[in-house]
Every structure is written in structure tokens, then in C-alpha cells.
Amino acid sequence: MDYAIKHKRAASAAHKQKAKGAPPKRRAIPAEPQPQEGCRRGAAGQAAIRPAGATAYGFLKVRFLPHLTGLPVTVPPRDEEDFYRSFTLLCSHYGITPMETRSLGYPYSKALALWEARKLLRARQEDVQVAEYRDAAGSLILQSKETYNTGNTLYYIPVVPLHRLLQDRRTKRAAQLLLATCAYLYQVAGIPYYTDEGSYLCWQYDMIREWVENDRTDWEAESYNSNRSQLNAAEHIGNVMQRRLSSPCHLNRFAELVEQFVPLNRFGCECLSIAEKALRLWRDHPQGHVYRHADTEVLHGDDDDYNEDCITMDKYIGFCAETEGWLYHTLSECVNNEFNECRDIQEPVLTRTFDGRAQEADSLDFECRLFSLMDDLCYLLNTTDNENS
């Protein structure tokens, strides 16, 4: 931001002016000065001069309410009663108290009530959308749509750094906690793996391999050998780590590993913190799955060919080889180029209907904690691998 520069100047002497006429004669000075009539000084002194406030800011003190325009509409006689019954249930569920609007006349009162409710929900930083629809009987009912915003992030968990940590005797014990955490994510939470046939990342890696091997003449010998080496290492280590993540022993000993582990350094403390988060998440949501609340309204059909313009959750969540080097940069470029052609993104969504029935004890708590766990895990694996390198 540009700031105005304050220039300070030295005060210059004023130019002398010539007298216009003869100077007046001197008069005797009286013994006591006499106050002049009609020129008495006030006791309060000079009045303070303040700049007037900008009148344009006056509108900020006024509360403007929604205004409905258009021709008068005819509403069913039960609409107002149905709306406020559903609206009361919605406000009670989310714990908000909007202003009273019934006296303002329907349907203006409905528009004002929804406007107020959405404003209160935004103030609580809740990503909730409120909409109205009619059921089979024609009753007006409100629906809320809670969404977990993934923030256009690629949740790609690298396994090659974990493999290196398990091979190093200095970090092997602490890395066992991360291995158990990844086993939970793979076996229970359903995070896809890049060597699984049919997974999105498996298809991306296969496409990169075909590109390198089929166009060998387009590469220099050194680049070709280096790229093939990275692809072979990613495939080999990926198969080894997939077998380890598929083993049930890591989940059977998960709680025991966490209880018996004593951290000796910062890395050990961070591994223990992540493992404890994963273990609590598993205990609180034993059946929790990453796709449990996946939004299906953005899908155009069961066939993948119809969903090419949608970034489904399996495309930005999964285990990958690593997040450094030529292979990952090529992978991320291919993924981002494809995502730029999409118009929709699939995210966890929970829809509630306020029709008088009791609300299920369901929430997006699992998704909020799961994505936070994956974010912490990715950060630790990436930063630790870079430090060791």
C-alpha cells in the first residue's frame, strides 16, 4: 500500500509592505487601559473548530432489511404455518436466535427470516446452505446442506519417505507409529492407493510410464534413464509398502504401540501426536469411511465417462509415491491440467431435512478430523524427508 509522505517546511520571513499613508500621531498612554465598548472577550476562549463528519457515512448506522420486488404473489394458506414450523426446528438445531418476523407479513417475513438465519450461520463460520422445497404432500419444508470445504488441496500421502524412515534405525521406532496410522487410513478409512488397479493415481502413473517408454527418442539418454529409474522405484516401493499396509498386525497392535512408545526427540513427539489422533478417530468412528458423506448431486451418473468434468474425491485423495522429483512434478502437472477442465468438485456433504422428524446424530466430525490428520501426516513426511536428505 502506498502511504502519503508528509513534507515539513521551514517557516520563511514575510516580506515587508510599504505604508500607504502618513503614520498617525502619537497619543498619550492612559494610566489604566480602558475596555472598549462592544468588543468584550468571552470567558470560554476561542471556539474549537472541528471538521464536519462525512455525511455519506450515515448509512452505516442504518440497518437495511431485504426488499421484495415484483408483482404480488398468491401463496397457499398453509405455507406460513409450514414455513415457521420448519424454520423453528432449523434454528433450534443450530442454536441461533433470529429476530421476530411474523408481524411483517408473509411472504416478506419468510425472506427476512431466511436472510437473518443465513447471516447468523455465516457469523458462526459454519458452511451451511439453507434452501426450501416442497414434499410429496405439498408442504413447505426447509433443508440445510453442510459442506466440508477441502480448499482445492491435493491430499496425496507419500509412502517412499515412510519407507526410508522405516529403513533408518534412528527413526524406525517412531516410523512404526506412522505405519500403523497409514494402515488405518488404507484399511479402515478407505484411502485409495496408487498401485491399486482402477485407482485414479494408478492410471496417472501408468500414463506417465507409457509416455516415457513409447517416446524414447524424445529423451536424452541421461534423462530417460533417470525418469525410468524413478518410475521403477515408485512401483517397487509402492508394492512393498502396500503389502505392509494391508497386514492386519499393524491395526491389532496400534493401541499397544501408542501406549508403549516413549519419544526421545521432536520427530518422535510428532509421530506420537499423529498416531494418537488416528487412534482416537478410529475409536470415535469405528465405521468411518472417507466417502461416507461424499456429495452425489455433482455426479451425472454411475459411469466414470459421465463424470469427467467433476473432480471426484478419489482424484485428490490417495497414497502416492513421493512429492519430490521429476516424477511428482510431472504427476502434479497432469493432475492440475485435468482439474482445470472440470467445473465441479465433490466434497463431503451432510443434508438435513427439518420436517418434524428427529434429527439423526450425524455430523461431519469424522471428515473434519480425517482431513486434518492427513494434512498433518503429509506435512511430517514431506518435511522430515527433506531434512534427512
Side-chain angles (χ1 to χ4, degrees), residues 124-179:
R124 293 176 51 176
Q125 297 182 347
E126 295 191 18
D127 193 357
V128 181
Q129 299 177 6
V130 181
E132 53 184 293
Y133 82 105
R134 295 189 181 276
D135 61 5
S139 301
L140 185 63
I141 296 176
L142 295 180
Q143 266 190 349
S144 68
K145 186 177 180 181
E146 304 171 15
T147 304
Y148 179 83
N149 185 4
T150 57
N152 298 330
T153 305
L154 295 177
Y155 291 90
Y156 290 169
I157 306 172
V159 297
V160 172
L162 178 57
H163 182 264
R164 296 194 189 104
L165 294 172
L166 291 169
Q167 298 298 315
D168 191 340
R169 63 179 183 178
R170 297 171 301 176
T171 58
K172 181 177 180 179
R173 250 194 107 188
Q176 291 286 344
L177 296 174
L178 301 182
L179 180 63

Side-chain angles (χ1 to χ4, degrees), residues 38 51 73 130 247 350:
V73 295
V130 181
S247 175
L350 178 61

Side-chain angles (χ1 to χ4, degrees), residues 304-374:
D304 292 340
D305 294 337
Y306 291 98
N307 298 315
E308 291 183 352
D309 58 348
C310 177
I311 306 174
T312 53
M313 291 178 62
D314 64 300
K315 294 181 180 179
Y316 62 86
I317 301 173
F319 289 96
C320 70
E322 55 185 334
T323 56
E324 291 292 336
W326 168 85
L327 180 57
Y328 179 73
H329 291 304
T330 304
L331 172 67
S332 61
E333 184 178 356
C334 294
V335 170
N336 287 323
N337 288 339
E338 181 177 340
F339 286 2
N340 288 334
E341 302 296 329
C342 298
R343 61 182 182 182
D344 296 319
I345 181 171
Q346 187 184 40
E347 295 177 312
V349 167
L350 178 61
T351 302
R352 301 183 185 275
T353 302
F354 299 94
D355 54 0
R357 292 177 292 182
Q359 294 294 322
E360 298 181 359
D362 197 4
S363 68
L364 294 178
D365 176 70
F366 173 76
E367 285 77 10
C368 294
R369 294 164 61 181
L370 175 67
F371 282 92
S372 176
L373 172 66
M374 291 191 294

Side-chain angles (χ1 to χ4, degrees), residues 58-79:
F59 79 97
L60 296 175
K61 302 178 181 179
V62 181
R63 187 179 186 183
F64 295 95
L65 300 181
H67 179 65
L68 290 181
T69 60
L71 299 175
V73 295
T74 303
V75 297
R78 291 183 51 191
D79 258 23

Side-chain angles (χ1 to χ4, degrees), residues 127-383:
D127 193 357
V128 181
Q129 299 177 6
V130 181
E132 53 184 293
Y133 82 105
R134 295 189 181 276
D135 61 5
S139 301
L140 185 63
I141 296 176
L142 295 180
Q143 266 190 349
S144 68
K145 186 177 180 181
E146 304 171 15
T147 304
Y148 179 83
N149 185 4
T150 57
N152 298 330
T153 305
L154 295 177
Y155 291 90
Y156 290 169
I157 306 172
V159 297
V160 172
L162 178 57
H163 182 264
R164 296 194 189 104
L165 294 172
L166 291 169
Q167 298 298 315
D168 191 340
R169 63 179 183 178
R170 297 171 301 176
T171 58
K172 181 177 180 179
R173 250 194 107 188
Q176 291 286 344
L177 296 174
L178 301 182
L179 180 63
T181 300
C182 290
Y184 159 73
L185 293 175
Y186 181 57
Q187 297 184 41
V188 181
I191 304 300
Y193 197 85
Y194 73 97
T195 59
D196 284 334
E197 293 292 337
S199 67
Y200 175 74
L201 287 181
C202 179
W203 174 71
Q204 289 287 348
Y205 279 109
D206 288 344
M207 184 175 60
I208 296 174
R209 178 178 286 277
E210 291 180 4
W211 171 49
V212 172
E213 295 181 349
N214 293 342
D215 297 333
R216 182 172 182 175
T217 56
D218 296 340
W219 301 91
E220 294 182 359
E222 184 178 355
S223 299
Y224 175 79
N225 294 331
S226 175
N227 296 343
R228 280 210 60 188
S229 177
Q230 293 185 44
L231 286 166
N232 293 335
E235 183 179 359
H236 172 69
I237 297 177
N239 291 329
V240 172
M241 292 300 296
Q242 185 183 26
R243 289 194 296 268
R244 302 188 72 170
L245 296 183
S246 303
S247 175
C249 66
H250 302 296
L251 295 183
N252 296 336
R253 299 181 57 246
F254 198 178
E256 181 183 350
L257 286 172
V258 172
E259 293 172 0
Q260 296 180 354
F261 181 76
V262 179
L264 301 177
N265 50 28
R266 181 183 60 84
F267 175 69
C269 293
E270 292 177 348
C271 290
L272 180 60
S273 175
I274 289 177
E276 288 175 341
K277 289 180 181 179
L279 188 59
R280 284 196 300 268
L281 181 61
W282 186 18
R283 288 172 174 172
D284 294 343
H285 301 274
Q287 305 298 326
H289 197 275
V290 66
Y291 303 126
R292 180 174 62 173
H293 290 120
D295 188 11
T296 57
E297 294 184 0
V298 296
L299 303 179
H300 306 290
D302 297 333
D303 193 351
D304 292 340
D305 294 337
Y306 291 98
N307 298 315
E308 291 183 352
D309 58 348
C310 177
I311 306 174
T312 53
M313 291 178 62
D314 64 300
K315 294 181 180 179
Y316 62 86
I317 301 173
F319 289 96
C320 70
E322 55 185 334
T323 56
E324 291 292 336
W326 168 85
L327 180 57
Y328 179 73
H329 291 304
T330 304
L331 172 67
S332 61
E333 184 178 356
C334 294
V335 170
N336 287 323
N337 288 339
E338 181 177 340
F339 286 2
N340 288 334
E341 302 296 329
C342 298
R343 61 182 182 182
D344 296 319
I345 181 171
Q346 187 184 40
E347 295 177 312
V349 167
L350 178 61
T351 302
R352 301 183 185 275
T353 302
F354 299 94
D355 54 0
R357 292 177 292 182
Q359 294 294 322
E360 298 181 359
D362 197 4
S363 68
L364 294 178
D365 176 70
F366 173 76
E367 285 77 10
C368 294
R369 294 164 61 181
L370 175 67
F371 282 92
S372 176
L373 172 66
M374 291 191 294
D375 190 52
D376 293 342
L377 180 60
C378 291
Y379 178 78
L380 180 59
L381 289 174
N382 290 324
T383 55

